[in-house]
Amino acid sequence: MRYDVSTALHQGQRDCQEDAVAARFAANRPIGFAVLADGMGGHAAGDIASAIVVEEVARSLDDRLEPGAVSDDDIPAILHEAATSANASIASYVAQNRDVAGMGATLIAPVVHQDMLHWISVGDSPLYVFSEDGLRQVNEDHSMAPQIDLLVRAGMMDAETARNHPDRNCLTSVLMGSAIPRIDWGKAPVKLVPGDIVIASSDGLQFLTDEEIQDILGRLRTESSAVLAKALVASVQSLGDPDQDNISVAVIKVS
């Protein structure tokens, strides 16, 4: 397997950039990863929190994911240790800087080992896989959105009300230095085949619908990951939404 990987960031209409993203994929290595964090909007120092999470998780994975020394069975525990270490780093920072108490960040960290996709996630930053079967989100959404959408499916709320519900983006889990309410990790990995595209992003990308994201990937699937990342961000910008959140993406093309 070979991986073509690119990342992209845009501030959107926010006053500062609270997303952070990094990727580690080296030529001729059978393993690589991306890390993305979305600082909590409206809370103190979200940009610091996201930077801490990305730096600490990337450092942990750099240390542990050695080709030939790690198996698929090892990766979930390594990811869990990296996330809890990042959470502890936020706790340590807040303990020394009380003026930023309340800061936090989401986490999405996909690891590709040969042809298998592993991940850990906390919060509402989505992880997509685009394949011949279309686009699907493979990680959990730790926000109120799934519960609100359940009300729609049960006929207790109309779709338009659900889309604009004021609690839709309220997080049910996040890295804040305290106990983590929910962590999505340790599930069976997803098998990848040549032509698949993995997208990790902040929820700023979800100003586009899944159908719009799928259309972009379908039209440009033969282009490079850099072209895809740029096209996704540009499509969000073209909406001209005055409430546009920060946007960050990591695109992994499998060949």
Side-chain angles (χ1 to χ4, degrees), residues 5 16 31 37 39 69 89 132 205 222:
V5 184
C16 64
I31 193 166
S89 293
E132 289 186 352
L205 181 64
T222 61

Short mmCIF file of all heavy atoms in Angstrom, two decimals, residues 5 16 31 37 39 69 89 132 205 222:
data_model
loop_
_atom_site.label_atom_id
_atom_site.label_comp_id
_atom_site.label_asym_id
_atom_site.label_seq_id
_atom_site.Cartn_x
_atom_site.Cartn_y
_atom_site.Cartn_z
N VAL A 5 -0.84 11.86 1.19
CA VAL A 5 -1.46 12.52 2.35
C VAL A 5 -1.24 14.03 2.30
O VAL A 5 -0.13 14.50 2.00
CB VAL A 5 -0.86 11.97 3.67
CG1 VAL A 5 -1.57 12.58 4.87
CG2 VAL A 5 -0.95 10.45 3.69
N CYS A 16 -10.18 33.55 15.50
CA CYS A 16 -8.87 32.90 15.58
C CYS A 16 -9.01 31.45 15.11
O CYS A 16 -10.11 30.92 15.00
CB CYS A 16 -8.28 32.97 16.99
SG CYS A 16 -9.24 32.07 18.23
N ILE A 31 3.18 2.09 7.89
CA ILE A 31 2.31 2.64 8.93
C ILE A 31 2.44 4.16 8.95
O ILE A 31 3.52 4.72 8.70
CB ILE A 31 2.66 2.03 10.31
CG1 ILE A 31 1.57 2.35 11.34
CG2 ILE A 31 4.04 2.48 10.79
CD1 ILE A 31 1.68 1.50 12.59
N ALA A 37 -7.33 18.11 16.01
CA ALA A 37 -8.05 18.54 17.21
C ALA A 37 -8.73 19.87 16.94
O ALA A 37 -8.19 20.73 16.24
CB ALA A 37 -7.09 18.67 18.40
N GLY A 39 -10.24 22.99 18.95
CA GLY A 39 -10.37 23.66 20.23
C GLY A 39 -11.80 24.08 20.48
O GLY A 39 -12.53 24.43 19.57
N ALA A 69 7.57 -3.55 14.67
CA ALA A 69 7.55 -3.74 16.12
C ALA A 69 6.14 -3.62 16.69
O ALA A 69 5.95 -3.72 17.89
CB ALA A 69 8.47 -2.72 16.80
N SER A 89 -1.93 16.11 29.78
CA SER A 89 -1.15 17.32 29.48
C SER A 89 -2.02 18.57 29.57
O SER A 89 -1.56 19.63 30.02
CB SER A 89 -0.55 17.21 28.07
OG SER A 89 0.43 16.19 28.01
N GLU A 132 -15.89 2.70 -3.18
CA GLU A 132 -16.82 2.43 -4.27
C GLU A 132 -18.27 2.43 -3.79
O GLU A 132 -19.20 2.64 -4.57
CB GLU A 132 -16.50 1.10 -4.94
CG GLU A 132 -15.21 1.11 -5.76
CD GLU A 132 -14.99 -0.17 -6.52
OE1 GLU A 132 -15.77 -1.14 -6.27
OE2 GLU A 132 -14.06 -0.23 -7.34
N LEU A 205 -16.01 21.24 8.44
CA LEU A 205 -16.26 20.70 7.11
C LEU A 205 -17.73 20.34 6.92
O LEU A 205 -18.24 20.30 5.80
CB LEU A 205 -15.39 19.46 6.88
CG LEU A 205 -15.52 18.77 5.52
CD1 LEU A 205 -15.06 19.69 4.39
CD2 LEU A 205 -14.74 17.46 5.49
N THR A 222 -9.37 10.94 -8.77
CA THR A 222 -8.09 10.62 -9.40
C THR A 222 -7.03 11.69 -9.17
O THR A 222 -5.87 11.51 -9.55
CB THR A 222 -8.27 10.42 -10.93
OG1 THR A 222 -8.77 11.63 -11.51
CG2 THR A 222 -9.25 9.28 -11.21
#
